[in-house]
Amino acid sequence: MAEQPSLDPTSLWRDMLTQWERGLNSVANQTMGSNEFSRAMHQVTALSLRMQQTAGEAMSKSLQAMNLPTRTDILALSERIGRIEETLARLEAALPREAADTAKPAAPRPPRTRQPPTD
Amino acid sequence: MPATRTLDIASIAARLQDETERAVRRAINGANYITSPAPAMGCTPKDLRRARGPMRLYHYRPLQADLYRVPILIVMATTNRGYILDLAPGQSFVEFLLGRGYDVFMLEWEAPRDDEKHLDLASYAFDFIPQAVADVKRRTGEPDVTLLGYCAGGMLSCIYGAVHPTDGMKNLVAFTTPIDFQQMALFANWSDRRFFDVEALVDRLGNVPPEMIYTSFDMLRPAARIAGQVRLWENMWNDEFVKSYRMFDRWGVDALPLPGAYFRQVVEELFWENRLARNELILDGHLVDLGRITAPFLHVVAEHDHIVPRAASAPLIELVGSSEKQELVLKGGHVSIAAGANAVRRMWPAVDAFLAGRSV
C-alpha cells in the first residue's frame, strides 16, 4: 500500500523553502559563472576602490589642516608598537629557561606512554 | 506494512497544541536571540605559547593521565578562526582529541597588521609552521609531530611537508584541502586574469579585508543566508537549533583579512597557473613537490563541499608520495564535516583510528 501524501503544512513549507533555495542558488551560480558577471564585478570593485582612494585623500587633507593624525600616521604608530612587541617577545624568548621556570613553575605534564586500545 | 497518516480530530488537536507551544517558545527565544550575546566558543582551557605577527600557538591542557607520545599540531585556515574545531563541550574536535589522550596544540591566526601585507605563502609555510613545529618539539621533548590542517591550513601543511619532509612530521592529516584550483569554478571565474587586476587591488588595499572574504564565500550560495534565517525562525522554539545556528553563523562572518602578498600569490600562482596541482609551485626558491611527502597521510573530504568541491581536493591523495595514505569521503559540507553531527559520529573517530597506532 502506498504511503499517503503528507498533510503536514510545515513539512510542505520546508520542502518549498528547500526547492526555492536550490533553484535560486543554481540560477545565481550560472549567472555568476559567466564572463559578463566577472567583468561587471571587477568594474564595480575598481570604481569602488577609486572612490575610496579619492575620499581617503580628501579626508587626509582635512585632518592635516586640522592638525589631527591621519590614517597613515596611526598605521605608522601601530607598526612601531608592533615592532616593540616583537622585540619584547624575542627578549622574553632569549631569557634563560631556568629564570622563566622559577618565575612560573610549569604544571607537571602527564607521561607520554599511552597505547592505542586493543580490541 | 507502511505507515499511514490519518487525519482525525485528536491528531489535529495535538498538532494545534504543539504549534501553540512552539509559537510561545519562538516568541521567548526570539526575544532572547536579540538581547543576548552569542554563545561562548573556543572555551577548552589552553595556554598561549607564542604570539608573533599573525601567528598564535596555543597548547591545550591535557584531559588524560597519560598521553600518546606524538603531539598533534592543528594548523587552522588563514581565513577563519580556530574555534570552529572547539565550538562547545560535546561539539569540540579539540576536546574529543584531548579526551582520547592526545597532546594538542593549535596554530591559528590573528588579523595581519597593515605593515604585514608583505606576508606570503612562504611566510606561513616556511616560517610560522616550522616555528610552531619547533616550539611543539621543545615543549614536549618529542622529535616528531602530527600535523592536522583544515582547508588552507591543510594546504600550507602539505606545502611545508613537501619542502621539509624530514623535519619530524610523523603523520599528516588534511581536511578539505584545495589543490586543483581550476576546479573551484566560481572562484576561478571571479579571479579570471582578463578582468581581475589583483595587483591594483592589493596595492590599494594592502591586506584584503574580511568583508571581501566572507562575501565571496556567501556568494557561492546566495540563497543560503536568507533560507537559513527563515529556518532559524521556524526552529526558534528549539534551543539546541538556535544555539547551533548562532555558533556557525558567528564563525561564518568572523573571517580574517588576508595579507596582500599572500592573496596575490593565491590568485596568480594557484588560480591562474594552478601550480600546486601541477607540482610546479616554487616558493622562496623551493619547488613544492607533493610527492616528497612521505609521512602517513589521511585526507578527509566532504561530498557536498561547496567551497572546496570534491574535484578540487581529489588530486591530493594521488600526488602525496606517502606509502600509507587514506582518503575518507564523508557526507556533509565544508564546515559540517569538521563540526557537525556527522563529524562527531564518523570523522572524529576515523581520525582517532588513523592516528592512535601511529602516535606511540
Side-chain angles (χ1 to χ4, degrees), chain A residues 15-92:
Chain A
D15 288 345
M16 274 173 52
L17 181 65
T18 304
Q19 294 300 325
W20 171 81
E21 185 185 2
R22 282 184 189 154
L24 186 61
N25 282 340
S26 172
V27 170
N29 284 355
Q30 278 175 18
T31 308
M32 291 188 294
S34 65
N35 287 340
E36 291 71 25
F37 180 87
S38 188
R39 185 186 290 116
M41 185 173 84
H42 291 302
Q43 281 171 348
V44 171
T45 306
L47 180 66
S48 159
L49 286 174
R50 274 200 296 275
M51 285 170 62
Q52 192 185 357
Q53 186 172 11
T54 308
E57 285 166 1
M59 181 62 77
S60 286
K61 282 178 187 162
S62 307
L63 289 168
Q64 278 171 346
M66 289 186 284
N67 206 21
L68 289 170
T70 63
R71 183 171 188 273
T72 313
D73 298 328
I74 300 289
L75 289 178
L77 276 175
S78 162
E79 189 175 338
R80 291 185 68 177
I81 291 170
R83 285 195 193 134
I84 292 168
E85 281 177 348
E86 280 167 12
T87 306
L88 281 173
R90 276 200 299 275
L91 287 171
E92 193 178 46

Coordinates of all heavy atoms in Angstrom, one line a residue, chain A residues 15-92:
Chain A
D15 N 9.7 21.8 2.4 CA 10.1 21.4 1.1 C 10.2 22.5 0.1 O 11.1 22.6 -0.7 CB 9.1 20.3 0.6 CG 9.2 19.0 1.3 OD1 10.2 18.8 2.0 OD2 8.3 18.2 1.2
M16 N 9.2 23.4 0.2 CA 9.1 24.6 -0.7 C 10.4 25.5 -0.5 O 11.0 25.9 -1.5 CB 7.9 25.4 -0.5 CG 6.7 25.0 -1.2 SD 5.2 25.9 -0.7 CE 5.7 27.6 -0.9
L17 N 10.7 25.7 0.7 CA 11.9 26.5 1.1 C 13.2 25.9 0.5 O 14.0 26.6 -0.1 CB 12.0 26.7 2.6 CG 13.2 27.5 3.1 CD1 13.0 29.0 2.6 CD2 13.3 27.5 4.6
T18 N 13.3 24.6 0.7 CA 14.5 23.9 0.1 C 14.6 24.0 -1.4 O 15.6 24.3 -2.0 CB 14.5 22.4 0.6 OG1 14.4 22.4 2.0 CG2 15.7 21.7 0.1
Q19 N 13.4 23.8 -2.0 CA 13.4 23.9 -3.5 C 13.7 25.3 -4.0 O 14.5 25.5 -4.9 CB 11.9 23.5 -4.0 CG 11.5 22.1 -3.8 CD 12.5 21.1 -4.5 OE1 13.0 21.4 -5.6 NE2 12.8 20.0 -3.9
W20 N 13.2 26.3 -3.3 CA 13.5 27.7 -3.6 C 15.0 28.0 -3.5 O 15.6 28.6 -4.4 CB 12.6 28.6 -2.7 CG 13.0 30.0 -2.9 CD1 12.6 30.9 -3.8 CD2 14.0 30.8 -2.0 NE1 13.2 32.1 -3.7 CE2 14.1 32.1 -2.6 CE3 14.7 30.5 -0.9 CZ2 14.9 33.1 -2.0 CZ3 15.5 31.5 -0.4 CH2 15.6 32.7 -0.9
E21 N 15.5 27.5 -2.4 CA 16.9 27.7 -2.1 C 17.8 27.1 -3.2 O 18.7 27.7 -3.8 CB 17.3 27.2 -0.7 CG 18.7 27.5 -0.3 CD 19.1 26.8 1.0 OE1 18.3 26.1 1.5 OE2 20.3 27.0 1.4
R22 N 17.5 25.8 -3.5 CA 18.3 25.1 -4.5 C 18.2 25.8 -5.9 O 19.2 26.0 -6.6 CB 17.8 23.7 -4.7 CG 18.4 22.8 -3.6 CD 18.0 21.4 -3.8 NE 18.3 20.6 -2.6 CZ 17.7 19.5 -2.2 NH1 16.7 19.0 -3.0 NH2 18.1 18.8 -1.2
G23 N 16.9 26.2 -6.2 CA 16.7 26.8 -7.5 C 17.4 28.1 -7.7 O 18.1 28.4 -8.7
L24 N 17.3 29.0 -6.6 CA 17.9 30.3 -6.7 C 19.5 30.1 -6.7 O 20.1 30.8 -7.5 CB 17.5 31.1 -5.5 CG 18.0 32.6 -5.5 CD1 17.5 33.3 -6.7 CD2 17.6 33.3 -4.2
N25 N 20.0 29.2 -5.9 CA 21.5 29.0 -5.9 C 21.9 28.6 -7.3 O 23.0 29.0 -7.8 CB 21.9 28.0 -4.9 CG 21.9 28.5 -3.5 OD1 22.0 29.7 -3.3 ND2 21.8 27.6 -2.5
S26 N 21.1 27.7 -7.9 CA 21.5 27.2 -9.2 C 21.5 28.3 -10.3 O 22.5 28.4 -11.0 CB 20.6 26.0 -9.6 OG 20.8 25.6 -10.9
V27 N 20.5 29.1 -10.3 CA 20.4 30.1 -11.3 C 21.5 31.2 -11.0 O 22.2 31.6 -12.0 CB 19.0 30.8 -11.2 CG1 18.9 32.1 -12.0 CG2 17.9 29.9 -11.6
A28 N 21.7 31.5 -9.8 CA 22.7 32.5 -9.4 C 24.1 32.0 -9.8 O 24.9 32.8 -10.3 CB 22.6 32.8 -7.9
N29 N 24.4 30.7 -9.6 CA 25.7 30.2 -9.9 C 25.9 30.2 -11.4 O 27.0 30.5 -11.8 CB 25.8 28.7 -9.4 CG 26.1 28.7 -7.9 OD1 26.2 29.8 -7.2 ND2 26.1 27.6 -7.3
Q30 N 24.9 29.9 -12.2 CA 25.0 30.0 -13.6 C 25.4 31.4 -14.1 O 26.2 31.7 -14.9 CB 23.7 29.6 -14.3 CG 23.6 28.1 -14.4 CD 22.3 27.6 -15.0 OE1 21.6 28.4 -15.6 NE2 21.9 26.4 -14.8
T31 N 24.6 32.4 -13.5 CA 24.9 33.8 -13.8 C 26.3 34.2 -13.4 O 27.0 34.8 -14.2 CB 23.8 34.7 -13.1 OG1 22.5 34.2 -13.4 CG2 23.9 36.1 -13.6
M32 N 26.6 33.9 -12.2 CA 27.9 34.3 -11.6 C 29.1 33.6 -12.3 O 30.3 34.0 -12.1 CB 28.0 34.1 -10.1 CG 27.0 35.1 -9.4 SD 27.2 35.0 -7.6 CE 26.6 33.4 -7.2
G33 N 28.8 32.5 -13.0 CA 29.9 31.7 -13.7 C 30.2 32.3 -15.0 O 31.0 31.8 -15.8
S34 N 29.5 33.4 -15.4 CA 29.7 33.9 -16.8 C 30.8 35.0 -16.8 O 31.1 35.6 -15.8 CB 28.4 34.6 -17.3 OG 28.1 35.7 -16.5
N35 N 31.4 35.2 -18.0 CA 32.4 36.2 -18.1 C 31.8 37.6 -17.9 O 32.5 38.4 -17.3 CB 32.9 36.2 -19.6 CG 33.8 35.0 -19.8 OD1 34.3 34.4 -18.9 ND2 34.0 34.6 -21.1
E36 N 30.6 37.8 -18.3 CA 30.0 39.1 -18.1 C 29.9 39.5 -16.7 O 30.1 40.6 -16.3 CB 28.6 39.1 -18.8 CG 28.5 39.1 -20.3 CD 28.9 37.7 -20.8 OE1 28.8 36.7 -20.0 OE2 29.4 37.6 -21.9
F37 N 29.5 38.5 -15.8 CA 29.4 38.8 -14.4 C 30.8 39.1 -13.8 O 30.9 40.1 -13.1 CB 28.8 37.5 -13.7 CG 28.7 37.8 -12.2 CD1 27.5 38.4 -11.7 CD2 29.7 37.4 -11.3 CE1 27.4 38.6 -10.3 CE2 29.6 37.7 -10.0 CZ 28.5 38.3 -9.4
S38 N 31.8 38.3 -14.2 CA 33.1 38.6 -13.7 C 33.6 40.0 -14.1 O 34.1 40.7 -13.2 CB 34.0 37.5 -14.2 OG 35.3 37.6 -13.6
R39 N 33.4 40.3 -15.3 CA 33.8 41.6 -15.8 C 33.1 42.8 -15.0 O 33.7 43.7 -14.5 CB 33.5 41.8 -17.3 CG 34.1 43.1 -17.9 CD 33.6 43.3 -19.4 NE 34.3 42.4 -20.3 CZ 33.6 41.4 -21.0 NH1 32.3 41.3 -20.9 NH2 34.3 40.6 -21.8
A40 N 31.8 42.6 -14.9 CA 31.0 43.7 -14.2 C 31.4 43.8 -12.8 O 31.6 44.9 -12.2 CB 29.5 43.3 -14.3
M41 N 31.6 42.6 -12.1 CA 32.0 42.6 -10.7 C 33.3 43.4 -10.5 O 33.4 44.2 -9.6 CB 32.2 41.2 -10.2 CG 32.4 41.0 -8.7 SD 32.4 39.3 -8.2 CE 34.1 38.8 -8.6
H42 N 34.3 43.2 -11.4 CA 35.6 43.8 -11.2 C 35.5 45.3 -11.6 O 36.3 46.1 -11.1 CB 36.7 43.1 -12.0 CG 36.9 41.7 -11.3 ND1 37.3 41.6 -10.0 CD2 36.8 40.5 -11.8 CE1 37.5 40.3 -9.7 NE2 37.2 39.6 -10.8
Q43 N 34.6 45.6 -12.5 CA 34.4 47.1 -12.8 C 33.9 47.8 -11.6 O 34.4 48.9 -11.3 CB 33.5 47.2 -14.1 CG 34.2 46.9 -15.4 CD 33.3 46.9 -16.6 OE1 32.1 46.8 -16.4 NE2 33.8 46.8 -17.7
V44 N 32.9 47.2 -11.0 CA 32.3 47.8 -9.8 C 33.4 47.9 -8.7 O 33.5 48.9 -8.0 CB 31.1 47.0 -9.3 CG1 30.6 47.5 -7.9 CG2 30.0 47.1 -10.3
T45 N 34.2 46.8 -8.5 CA 35.2 46.9 -7.5 C 36.2 48.0 -7.8 O 36.6 48.7 -6.9 CB 36.0 45.5 -7.4 OG1 35.0 44.5 -7.3 CG2 37.0 45.4 -6.3
A46 N 36.7 48.1 -9.0 CA 37.6 49.1 -9.4 C 37.1 50.5 -9.1 O 37.8 51.4 -8.6 CB 38.0 48.9 -10.9
L47 N 35.8 50.7 -9.5 CA 35.2 52.0 -9.3 C 35.1 52.3 -7.8 O 35.5 53.4 -7.3 CB 33.8 52.0 -9.8 CG 33.0 53.3 -9.7 CD1 33.6 54.4 -10.5 CD2 31.5 53.1 -10.2
S48 N 34.8 51.3 -7.0 CA 34.7 51.5 -5.5 C 36.0 51.8 -4.9 O 36.2 52.7 -4.1 CB 34.1 50.2 -4.9 OG 34.4 50.1 -3.6
L49 N 37.1 51.2 -5.5 CA 38.4 51.4 -4.9 C 38.9 52.9 -5.3 O 39.5 53.6 -4.5 CB 39.4 50.4 -5.5 CG 39.4 49.0 -5.0 CD1 40.3 48.1 -5.8 CD2 39.7 49.0 -3.5
R50 N 38.5 53.3 -6.5 CA 38.9 54.7 -6.9 C 38.2 55.7 -6.0 O 38.7 56.7 -5.6 CB 38.5 54.9 -8.4 CG 39.6 54.5 -9.3 CD 39.5 55.1 -10.7 NE 38.3 54.7 -11.4 CZ 38.2 53.6 -12.1 NH1 39.2 52.8 -12.2 NH2 37.0 53.3 -12.7
M51 N 36.9 55.4 -5.7 CA 36.1 56.3 -4.9 C 36.7 56.4 -3.5 O 36.8 57.4 -2.8 CB 34.6 55.9 -4.8 CG 33.9 56.2 -6.1 SD 32.3 55.5 -6.2 CE 31.5 56.2 -4.8
Q52 N 37.1 55.2 -3.0 CA 37.6 55.1 -1.7 C 38.9 55.9 -1.6 O 39.2 56.6 -0.6 CB 37.9 53.6 -1.3 CG 38.2 53.3 0.1 CD 38.6 51.9 0.3 OE1 38.5 51.1 -0.6 NE2 38.9 51.5 1.5
Q53 N 39.7 55.8 -2.7 CA 41.0 56.5 -2.7 C 40.8 58.0 -2.7 O 41.5 58.7 -1.9 CB 41.8 56.1 -3.9 CG 43.2 56.6 -4.0 CD 44.0 56.1 -5.1 OE1 43.5 55.4 -6.0 NE2 45.3 56.3 -5.1
T54 N 39.9 58.4 -3.5 CA 39.6 59.9 -3.6 C 39.1 60.4 -2.2 O 39.6 61.4 -1.7 CB 38.5 60.1 -4.6 OG1 38.9 59.5 -5.8 CG2 38.3 61.6 -4.9
A55 N 38.2 59.6 -1.6 CA 37.6 60.1 -0.3 C 38.7 60.1 0.8 O 38.8 61.0 1.6 CB 36.5 59.1 0.1
G56 N 39.6 59.1 0.7 CA 40.7 58.9 1.7 C 41.7 60.1 1.5 O 42.1 60.7 2.6
E57 N 42.0 60.5 0.3 CA 42.9 61.6 0.1 C 42.3 62.9 0.6 O 42.9 63.8 1.3 CB 43.2 61.8 -1.4 CG 44.2 60.7 -1.8 CD 44.4 60.6 -3.3 OE1 43.7 61.3 -4.0 OE2 45.1 59.7 -3.8
A58 N 41.0 63.1 0.3 CA 40.3 64.3 0.8 C 40.3 64.4 2.3 O 40.5 65.4 2.9 CB 38.9 64.4 0.2
M59 N 40.0 63.2 2.9 CA 39.9 63.2 4.4 C 41.3 63.5 5.0 O 41.4 64.2 6.0 CB 39.4 61.8 4.8 CG 39.3 61.6 6.3 SD 38.1 62.7 7.1 CE 36.6 62.0 6.6
S60 N 42.3 62.9 4.4 CA 43.7 63.1 4.9 C 44.0 64.6 4.9 O 44.6 65.2 5.9 CB 44.7 62.4 4.1 OG 44.7 61.0 4.3
K61 N 43.7 65.3 3.8 CA 44.0 66.7 3.7 C 43.2 67.5 4.8 O 43.8 68.4 5.4 CB 43.6 67.3 2.3 CG 44.6 66.9 1.3 CD 44.2 67.4 -0.1 CE 45.2 66.8 -1.2 NZ 44.6 66.9 -2.5
S62 N 42.0 67.1 5.0 CA 41.2 67.8 6.0 C 41.8 67.6 7.4 O 41.9 68.5 8.2 CB 39.7 67.3 6.0 OG 39.2 67.3 4.8
L63 N 42.2 66.4 7.7 CA 42.7 66.1 9.0 C 44.1 66.8 9.2 O 44.3 67.4 10.3 CB 43.0 64.6 9.2 CG 41.7 63.7 9.3 CD1 42.0 62.2 9.2 CD2 41.0 64.0 10.7
Q64 N 44.9 66.9 8.2 CA 46.1 67.6 8.3 C 45.9 69.1 8.5 O 46.5 69.7 9.3 CB 46.9 67.4 7.0 CG 47.7 66.1 7.0 CD 48.4 65.8 5.6 OE1 48.0 66.4 4.6 NE2 49.2 64.8 5.6
A65 N 44.9 69.6 7.8 CA 44.5 71.0 8.0 C 44.1 71.3 9.5 O 44.3 72.4 10.0 CB 43.4 71.4 7.0
M66 N 43.5 70.3 10.1 CA 43.0 70.5 11.5 C 44.1 70.1 12.5 O 43.8 70.0 13.7 CB 41.7 69.7 11.7 CG 40.5 70.3 11.0 SD 39.0 69.4 11.4 CE 39.2 67.9 10.5
N67 N 45.3 69.7 12.0 CA 46.4 69.3 12.8 C 46.0 68.0 13.6 O 46.4 67.8 14.8 CB 46.8 70.4 13.8 CG 48.2 70.3 14.2 OD1 49.0 69.6 13.5 ND2 48.6 70.8 15.4
L68 N 45.3 67.1 12.9 CA 45.0 65.8 13.5 C 45.7 64.7 12.8 O 46.0 64.8 11.6 CB 43.4 65.6 13.4 CG 42.6 66.5 14.3 CD1 41.1 66.3 14.0 CD2 42.8 66.1 15.8
P69 N 45.9 63.6 13.5 CA 46.6 62.5 12.8 C 45.8 61.8 11.7 O 44.6 61.6 11.9 CB 46.9 61.5 13.9 CG 46.0 61.8 15.0 CD 45.7 63.3 14.9
T70 N 46.4 61.4 10.6 CA 45.7 60.8 9.5 C 45.8 59.3 9.8 O 46.5 58.8 10.7 CB 46.3 61.1 8.2 OG1 47.6 60.6 8.2 CG2 46.3 62.6 7.9
R71 N 45.1 58.5 8.9 CA 45.2 57.0 9.0 C 46.6 56.6 8.8 O 47.1 55.7 9.5 CB 44.3 56.4 7.9 CG 44.2 54.9 7.9 CD 43.1 54.4 7.0 NE 43.0 53.0 7.2 CZ 43.7 52.0 6.5 NH1 44.6 52.4 5.7 NH2 43.5 50.8 6.8
T72 N 47.3 57.2 7.9 CA 48.7 56.8 7.7 C 49.5 57.0 9.0 O 50.4 56.2 9.3 CB 49.3 57.7 6.6 OG1 48.4 57.7 5.5 CG2 50.7 57.2 6.1
D73 N 49.3 58.1 9.7 CA 50.0 58.4 10.9 C 49.7 57.3 12.0 O 50.6 56.8 12.6 CB 49.6 59.7 11.5 CG 50.0 60.9 10.6 OD1 51.0 60.7 9.9 OD2 49.3 61.9 10.6
I74 N 48.4 56.9 12.1 CA 48.0 55.9 13.1 C 48.7 54.5 12.7 O 49.1 53.8 13.5 CB 46.5 55.7 13.1 CG1 45.8 57.1 13.5 CG2 46.1 54.6 14.0 CD1 46.0 57.5 14.9
L75 N 48.7 54.2 11.4 CA 49.3 53.0 10.9 C 50.8 52.9 11.2 O 51.3 51.9 11.6 CB 49.0 52.7 9.4 CG 47.6 52.4 9.1 CD1 47.5 52.3 7.5 CD2 47.1 51.1 9.7
A76 N 51.4 54.1 11.1 CA 52.9 54.2 11.4 C 53.1 53.9 12.8 O 54.0 53.2 13.2 CB 53.4 55.5 10.9
L77 N 52.2 54.5 13.7 CA 52.4 54.2 15.1 C 52.1 52.7 15.4 O 52.9 52.1 16.2 CB 51.3 55.0 15.9 CG 51.7 56.5 16.2 CD1 50.5 57.2 16.8 CD2 52.9 56.5 17.2
S78 N 51.1 52.2 14.8 CA 50.8 50.7 15.0 C 52.0 49.9 14.6 O 52.3 48.9 15.3 CB 49.5 50.4 14.2 OG 49.4 49.0 14.0
E79 N 52.6 50.2 13.5 CA 53.8 49.5 13.0 C 54.9 49.5 14.1 O 55.5 48.5 14.4 CB 54.2 50.1 11.7 CG 55.3 49.2 11.0 CD 55.6 49.8 9.6 OE1 54.8 50.6 9.1 OE2 56.7 49.5 9.2
R80 N 55.1 50.7 14.6 CA 56.2 50.9 15.6 C 55.9 50.1 16.9 O 56.7 49.4 17.4 CB 56.4 52.3 16.0 CG 57.0 53.1 14.8 CD 57.3 54.5 15.2 NE 58.4 54.6 16.2 CZ 58.9 55.8 16.6 NH1 58.3 56.9 16.2 NH2 59.8 55.8 17.5
I81 N 54.6 50.1 17.3 CA 54.2 49.3 18.5 C 54.4 47.8 18.2 O 54.9 47.1 19.1 CB 52.7 49.6 18.9 CG1 52.6 51.0 19.4 CG2 52.2 48.6 20.0 CD1 51.2 51.5 19.6
G82 N 54.0 47.4 17.0 CA 54.2 46.0 16.6 C 55.7 45.6 16.7 O 56.0 44.5 17.2
R83 N 56.5 46.5 16.2 CA 58.0 46.1 16.3 C 58.5 46.0 17.8 O 59.3 45.2 18.1 CB 58.8 47.2 15.6 CG 58.7 47.1 14.0 CD 59.7 47.9 13.4 NE 59.4 48.0 11.9 CZ 59.5 49.1 11.3 NH1 59.9 50.2 11.8 NH2 59.2 49.2 10.0
I84 N 58.0 46.9 18.6 CA 58.3 46.9 20.0 C 57.9 45.6 20.6 O 58.6 44.9 21.4 CB 57.8 48.1 20.8 CG1 58.4 49.4 20.3 CG2 58.0 48.0 22.3 CD1 57.8 50.7 20.7
E85 N 56.6 45.2 20.3 CA 56.1 43.9 20.9 C 57.0 42.7 20.4 O 57.2 41.8 21.2 CB 54.7 43.7 20.4 CG 53.6 44.5 21.1 CD 52.2 44.3 20.6 OE1 52.1 43.8 19.5 OE2 51.3 44.8 21.3
E86 N 57.4 42.8 19.2 CA 58.2 41.7 18.6 C 59.5 41.6 19.3 O 60.1 40.6 19.6 CB 58.3 41.8 17.1 CG 57.1 41.2 16.4 CD 57.1 41.6 14.9 OE1 58.1 42.1 14.4 OE2 56.0 41.4 14.3
T87 N 60.1 42.8 19.6 CA 61.4 42.9 20.3 C 61.2 42.3 21.7 O 62.1 41.5 22.2 CB 61.9 44.3 20.4 OG1 61.9 44.8 19.0 CG2 63.3 44.4 21.0
L88 N 60.1 42.7 22.4 CA 59.9 42.1 23.7 C 59.8 40.6 23.7 O 60.3 39.9 24.6 CB 58.6 42.8 24.3 CG 58.7 44.2 24.8 CD1 57.4 44.7 25.2 CD2 59.7 44.2 26.1
A89 N 59.0 40.1 22.7 CA 58.9 38.7 22.6 C 60.2 38.0 22.4 O 60.5 36.9 22.9 CB 57.9 38.3 21.4
R90 N 61.1 38.6 21.5 CA 62.4 38.0 21.3 C 63.2 38.0 22.6 O 63.9 37.0 22.9 CB 63.1 38.8 20.2 CG 62.8 38.3 18.8 CD 63.9 38.8 17.8 NE 64.0 40.2 17.8 CZ 63.3 41.0 17.0 NH1 62.3 40.5 16.3 NH2 63.5 42.3 17.0
L91 N 63.1 39.1 23.4 CA 63.9 39.2 24.6 C 63.3 38.1 25.6 O 64.1 37.5 26.3 CB 63.7 40.6 25.2 CG 64.5 41.7 24.5 CD1 64.1 43.1 25.1 CD2 66.0 41.5 24.7
E92 N 62.0 38.0 25.7 CA 61.4 37.0 26.6 C 61.9 35.6 26.2 O 62.2 34.8 27.1 CB 59.9 37.1 26.5 CG 59.2 36.4 27.6 CD 57.7 36.6 27.4 OE1 57.1 36.4 26.3 OE2 57.0 36.9 28.4

